[in-house]
Amino acid sequence: MWQLLPPAVLLLLASAGTQAEGLQKAVVSLHPQWDRLLERDNVTLRCQGAQAEGNGSTLWWHNGHLLPSQNSSHFIASASVNHSGEYTCQTSRSSLSDPVQLQVRAAWLVLQAARWRLREGERLELRCHSWREKPLRNVQFFQDGRGRRFSHRSNAFSVARASAAHSGSYFCRGLIGKLNVSSEAVAVLVEALATPRVSPGRLILLCLLPGLLFAAVSWLCCSVRRGLHSLSRNRTNDTVTWRKSLQDKQEQ
Ligand SMILES: *[C@@H]1O[C@H](CO)[C@@H](O)[C@H](O)[C@H]1NC(C)=O
Ligand SMILES: *[C@@H]1O[C@H](CO)[C@@H](O)[C@H](O)[C@H]1NC(C)=O
Ligand SMILES: *[C@@H]1O[C@H](CO)[C@@H](O)[C@H](O)[C@H]1NC(C)=O
Ligand SMILES: *[C@@H]1O[C@H](CO)[C@@H](O)[C@H](O)[C@H]1NC(C)=O
Ligand SMILES: *[C@@H]1O[C@H](CO)[C@@H](O)[C@H](O)[C@H]1NC(C)=O
């Protein structure tokens, strides 16, 4: 029967098959990982996604405009403010990625984070990055206006196990030569651990449920059987009484 179908129909069926499979989303990642940059920084955007055989092409969009690059790595050398915005990508066998936001600032300092949203217990990692890596001294990190860390040389601030109390608005400042410079403030969000969906009580109930069901069904069976039994017994009794009353009547 397959041999009878015209090739065009087969092709249509085949493509419908691949559509139905549901392609996985491509994923954009940044190398280095920072999504907030200063002018003249370099960054490579990588697109991860499945490729069809013999087609290694990757499509890139910046703020919805298709970029000429078809490489899975998109290199931005010497970033400028106009490289800011939303990047998405797609490979030959993936669907469009979620967007990654890149922000390029014309400033002396920028606060960078491995991630701006994290869960309680995860590592909070901040970095005070200076324009063209100019030496930075007397570095201070602030959370909601309060000084959290001072260092003569180090431009890094990290908390091994962040808690909800580490959420807030952060900025950093320091000296570049004689210049006293500050970064913009950025929000960090540490989310409380989600409570387990199924509470222990419910879990126990779930474990007991099959047993309870079995007990309920057995009880139902037994009582039905008992019911039928007594019903048939009653019927015999009825017959007996009926016969008896009939006899009584005849005797009268
Ligand atoms: C794609 O990017 C990689 C890594 O940057 C590079 O080695 C390769 O030459 C590029 N390929 C093309 C066709 O530009
Ligand atoms: C950025 O890329 C350019 C061009 O490839 C290179 O000359 C420069 O050294 C890079 N800068 C850094 C900080 O890696
Ligand atoms: C950004 O602006 C520069 C000039 O300042 C220009 O050469 C470059 O092509 C622009 N890049 C983008 C992504 O628009
Ligand atoms: C490779 O895949 C891309 C993206 O799906 C597509 O636009 C392009 O036509 C394909 N090229 C070849 C040679 O098949
Ligand atoms: C930078 O200026 C602020 C006031 O804007 C001041 O409080 C701070 O001490 C100065 N930092 C340094 C390292 O001098």
Side-chain angles (χ1 to χ4, degrees), residues 12-77:
L12 212 68
L13 284 172
S15 73
T18 48
Q19 294 260 310
E21 261 174 90
L23 295 175
Q24 272 199 325
K25 276 188 195 177
V27 175
V28 179
S29 57
L30 300 173
H31 307 269
Q33 63 193 322
W34 321 113
D35 62 352
R36 295 174 65 83
L37 306 178
L38 292 171
E39 286 198 310
R40 308 205 34 186
D41 282 340
N42 294 339
V43 61
T44 302
L45 289 84
R46 287 203 192 119
C47 185
Q48 273 182 300
Q51 291 286 17
E53 240 175 278
N55 185 349
S57 88
T58 302
L59 302 178
W60 284 101
W61 288 268
H62 176 218
N63 293 331
H65 299 291
L66 189 64
L67 295 174
S69 158
Q70 294 215 339
N71 199 332
S72 62
S73 293
H74 177 63
F75 183 54
I76 298 177

Side-chain angles (χ1 to χ4, degrees), residues 102-147:
L102 196 68
Q103 295 196 42
V104 184
R105 292 283 184 256
W108 283 102
L109 284 185
V110 72
L111 186 71
Q112 298 179 317
R115 287 153 67 199
W116 299 105
R117 275 179 88 117
L118 39 147
R119 299 259 183 135
E120 265 184 336
E122 288 179 334
R123 185 181 177 80
L124 170 62
E125 218 179 318
L126 299 177
R127 184 171 177 259
C128 194
H129 168 54
S130 59
W131 186 61
R132 300 181 71 188
E133 303 286 1
K134 297 239 179 236
L136 186 65
R137 295 178 293 119
N138 295 3
V139 191
Q140 283 179 286
F141 286 87
F142 290 85
Q143 177 192 359
D144 298 322
R146 287 189 311 273

Side-chain angles (χ1 to χ4, degrees), residues 90-101:
Q90 186 173 8
T91 59
S92 53
R93 299 261 309 152
S94 68
S95 61
L96 191 65
S97 70
D98 287 331
V100 160
Q101 291 285 341

Side-chain angles (χ1 to χ4, degrees), residues 74-85:
H74 177 63
F75 183 54
I76 298 177
S78 192
S80 58
V81 171
N82 61 6
H83 288 110
S84 297

